[in-house]
Amino acid sequence: MDSKFIALVIGRLLLAFAPLPWSIRNDHQLSSPLTSYPRLQEGIYLFRHGIDPYSGGAFRHSPLLLSLFSTVLPLNEYSSPLIWTACDAVAAWALVRIWRSRQNVSASSRDVLLAALYLLNPYIFFPSLALSTSTFENMLYLLSLMFACRGRTSAAALTLAFLTHLSLPSILLLFPLVLLILSGPASRLASPRPFPADSRKTLPILAQFVGCFVLLCIAATLVCGNWTWVEKTWGAQFMLPDLTPNPGLWWYFFTEMFDHFRPFFLMVFSVHLLIYVAPICIKFQHDILYACFLLLGVFATFKAYPTLSDPGLFLSMIAVFPETFPYLRHPIVTTLLHLHASLLLPLFHHLWIAQGTGNANFFYASTLVFGMANGAALLDAIWAGLRIAIGDTKECCEVVQE
C-alpha cells in the first residue's frame, strides 16, 4: 500500500506542476466566490499592505486562511501545488483509514483502490488543480470522520470546528458526528438495530467542539481586528450576495428573483438543508457513518456555493460501502447522467462565457442536469441502504426454508 500510495501522490504532484491555462483558476465550475484562489491572493495582498480585505465585496475566505497563507505558508507558483497536493494526499489517506476502521482491519487489498478513486476522481482532481480551497474542506471533512471512527473525540471536534469555520453549514454534521463517536463505524446496514442510548458522553463532546469553535472565532477576530469577517464569510453562505455562476441550484433562481421575495426564499433554501439531518440520522441510526455519507450528498446537491469537488467527495466515499452495490437501483442511469453533465457543463459554460453565442440559460440547463445526476446518486444510495436489510432477511428466510 505504502509504495503504491506514494506513487499515486507523486503522479498527482507531477500533474499539479504541469503547465495549465490560468483561466482554469477562474472557472466557475471548479471554484466559487468562497473558494477562489485568485480572490484568496487578492485578500492576502490587501492584508499585507495594511488594508482590510473584508472592506470590499470580493474576499470571502476565512481569516484563518488569510493568516496562514500570509505568514507560515506563503503562496507562490511552487508552494501552492505542493500544499494542495499534500492536502489531497492527507484526504485520501483519511479515506483509507475510514475504510479500515469500518472493516476493523489494519490493512486491506482495497486500500490502493480507495486512494486512487479519490486522487484520480476528475471532480476532485480539477478543482484541486484550480487551487480551490474546497480541497481543504474535503480534507477536514474526511479527517473529522476518520477521528470519529477511531474514537478520538478531541481531534474530531477540532477538525470539525476548523471545517465549520471555513464552511458554516458544516455545523449540521455535528449531530451525526457525535453519534458516530458514540456508536462506532462498523457496518450494520444488513442488521438494523436501535441506537444504544448513552447520552453521558454527548455533553463532553459538544463542549469540546464549542470550545474549539469559540477559540477559532477569537483567533479570526484577532487577525482581522474586527467582526467584519463574520458577515463577509458566514453571512455570504446564507445571504448569497455574490451571484457568480456555479454548478449549484441557487444562483440562477436568485438572479431572476424579485427583491421583495428574496428574504423568504433565502430562508427556505437555508432551512432546506437542515430538515434532512434528523430524518437521515434516525433512519440510519444503526449505521451513522452511512448517514454522514448521505448527508454529504445532500449538502453537495443543495449548498449555496458548490463546486465539482463537493459531489466528487460523495462519489469517492461510496467506495467505502461496497455492501450496498448489489442493491443500487439505477447505477447505469446515474453514471450516464453524470457523464452527460460532465460534458454539458464545460461546453455550455464555454459557449456562454468565452464564445458569447449562448446565454445564462445554457449553463443553468447543464447545472440542472448536474443536479439531477447528484440527486439520482443520492437516491440510489438511500435506496440501497434501506434495501440491504430487506434483501439479507429474504436470503436468510430462503435458506431456512430450504
Side-chain angles (χ1 to χ4, degrees), residues 118 121 123-124 138 300 307-317:
Y118 186 88
N121 185 339
Y123 283 174
I124 293 175
N138 287 352
T307 62
L308 293 183
S309 65
D310 295 297
L313 178 57
F314 174 74
L315 295 176
S316 292
M317 267 201 74

Side-chain angles (χ1 to χ4, degrees), residues 188-203:
R188 291 185 289 268
L189 288 174
S191 55
R193 67 172 186 264
F195 185 82
D198 183 9
S199 59
R200 290 174 298 178
K201 298 180 180 178
T202 303
L203 289 179

Side-chain angles (χ1 to χ4, degrees), residues 47-66:
F47 183 71
R48 285 176 173 172
H49 288 78
I51 303 173
D52 183 5
Y54 296 103
S55 59
F59 186 73
R60 301 192 181 278
H61 292 75
S62 166
L64 298 181
L65 294 181
L66 184 68

Side-chain angles (χ1 to χ4, degrees), residues 321-397:
F321 312 97
E323 66 270 26
T324 63
F325 293 172
Y327 299 93
L328 294 173
R329 193 172 189 182
H330 304 296
I332 296 178
V333 174
T334 302
T335 303
L336 290 177
L337 276 172
H338 268 288
L339 178 61
H340 188 54
S342 64
L343 295 174
L344 284 182
L345 279 169
L347 175 61
F348 283 178
H349 182 268
H350 181 75
L351 286 175
W352 176 30
I353 301 299
Q355 294 293 332
T357 55
N359 53 41
N361 293 322
F362 279 57
F363 185 63
Y364 188 61
S366 62
T367 62
L368 290 178
V369 177
F370 188 57
M372 289 176 58
N374 294 330
L378 178 60
L379 290 175
D380 245 1
I382 294 174
W383 172 268
L386 295 174
R387 290 291 297 177
I388 185 172
I390 300 174
D392 282 10
T393 302
K394 287 182 178 180
E395 289 177 5
C396 290
C397 292

Side-chain angles (χ1 to χ4, degrees), residues 23 41 61 99 133 142 177 182 202 213 297 306 326 348 387 402:
S23 60
Q41 286 184 308
H61 292 75
W99 160 257
T133 56
L142 290 174
L177 198 74
L182 297 178
T202 303
F213 186 71
F348 283 178
R387 290 291 297 177
E402 292 177 357

